[in-house]
């Protein structure tokens, strides 16, 4: 039977960008769908007010998101027939997603490149990787 896992990120409160109204709500709805209706075995959840997990912060900061992408996708953990989903709701600019503390004046350094995300996601070993990006492309300006 296929295994399903996901990362869900929703950011309303940005340090250097306009706040959003519904990104966190949309991410919460996706997390609940994945867990309760679709029966995913694991969902990593990052949002403005998400609680710490095992003593680690799940705030959607650049460091937290980069660390998770680096550590979780170090080695394959899924296999044939498995699925991995990535959902992001927040600010973006072309080719980058903005973390809660990303600097819009230096996106290449303080944004998260979508190519980096897709490269990391492919390392999970799943047959199918799905990225859903609900991001405006003006970077909150």
């Amino acid at each position: 039977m296929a295994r399903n896992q996901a990362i869900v990120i929703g950011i309303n409160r940005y340090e250097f960008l306009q706040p959003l109204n519904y990104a966190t709500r949309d991410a919460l709805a996706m997390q609940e769908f994945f867990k309760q209706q679709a029966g995913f075995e694991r969902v990593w959840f990052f949002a403005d007010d998400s609680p710490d997990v095992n003593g680690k912060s799940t705030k959607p900061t650049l460091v937290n998101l980069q660390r998770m992408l680096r550590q979780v996708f170090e080695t394959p953990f899924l296999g044939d027939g498995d699925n991995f989903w990535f959902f992001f709701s927040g600010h973006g600019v072309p080719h980058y997603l903005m973390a809660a503390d990303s600097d819009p004046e230096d996106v290449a350094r303080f944004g998260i490149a979508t190519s980096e995300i897709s490269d990391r996601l492919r390392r999970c070993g799943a047959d199918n990787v799905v990225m859903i990006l609900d991001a405006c492309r003006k970077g909150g300006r």
Side-chain angles (χ1 to χ4, degrees), residues 113-132:
T114 54
S115 60
E116 176 188 348
I117 294 167
S118 64
D119 287 346
R120 289 286 173 178
L121 295 177
R122 280 190 215 112
R123 295 179 186 184
C124 73
D127 273 344
N128 303 299
V129 176
V130 178
M131 285 181 68
I132 302 170

Side-chain angles (χ1 to χ4, degrees), residues 73-130:
F73 298 95
E74 183 82 22
T75 58
F77 53 92
L78 293 171
D80 293 343
D82 294 339
N83 306 292
F84 196 91
W85 293 68
F86 179 91
F87 177 85
F88 176 88
S89 186
H91 282 302
V93 297
H95 311 292
Y96 290 88
L97 301 180
M98 304 300 280
D101 57 347
S102 289
D103 183 349
E105 295 180 14
D106 193 353
V107 174
R109 190 168 164 206
F110 296 107
I112 304 172
T114 54
S115 60
E116 176 188 348
I117 294 167
S118 64
D119 287 346
R120 289 286 173 178
L121 295 177
R122 280 190 215 112
R123 295 179 186 184
C124 73
D127 273 344
N128 303 299
V129 176
V130 178

Side-chain angles (χ1 to χ4, degrees), residues 9-130:
I9 302 164
I11 308 169
N12 281 347
R13 294 192 304 259
Y14 281 88
E15 288 186 34
F16 306 109
L17 298 164
Q18 292 177 17
L20 296 172
N21 294 320
Y22 305 109
T24 299
R25 181 198 69 185
D26 293 349
L28 186 58
M30 288 300 292
Q31 178 209 32
E32 290 173 357
F33 171 78
F34 286 147
K35 284 179 141 183
Q36 295 171 7
Q37 294 178 7
F40 279 34
E41 69 180 47
R42 179 147 196 199
V43 178
W44 287 268
F45 183 67
F46 293 82
D48 299 328
D49 297 317
S50 55
D52 291 355
V53 173
N54 298 324
K56 293 185 180 182
S57 173
T58 61
K59 303 296 181 254
T61 64
L62 183 64
V63 169
N64 286 347
L65 295 174
Q66 287 179 327
R67 177 179 289 142
M68 182 268 307
L69 288 168
R70 190 176 56 250
Q71 291 176 351
V72 170
F73 298 95
E74 183 82 22
T75 58
F77 53 92
L78 293 171
D80 293 343
D82 294 339
N83 306 292
F84 196 91
W85 293 68
F86 179 91
F87 177 85
F88 176 88
S89 186
H91 282 302
V93 297
H95 311 292
Y96 290 88
L97 301 180
M98 304 300 280
D101 57 347
S102 289
D103 183 349
E105 295 180 14
D106 193 353
V107 174
R109 190 168 164 206
F110 296 107
I112 304 172
T114 54
S115 60
E116 176 188 348
I117 294 167
S118 64
D119 287 346
R120 289 286 173 178
L121 295 177
R122 280 190 215 112
R123 295 179 186 184
C124 73
D127 273 344
N128 303 299
V129 176
V130 178

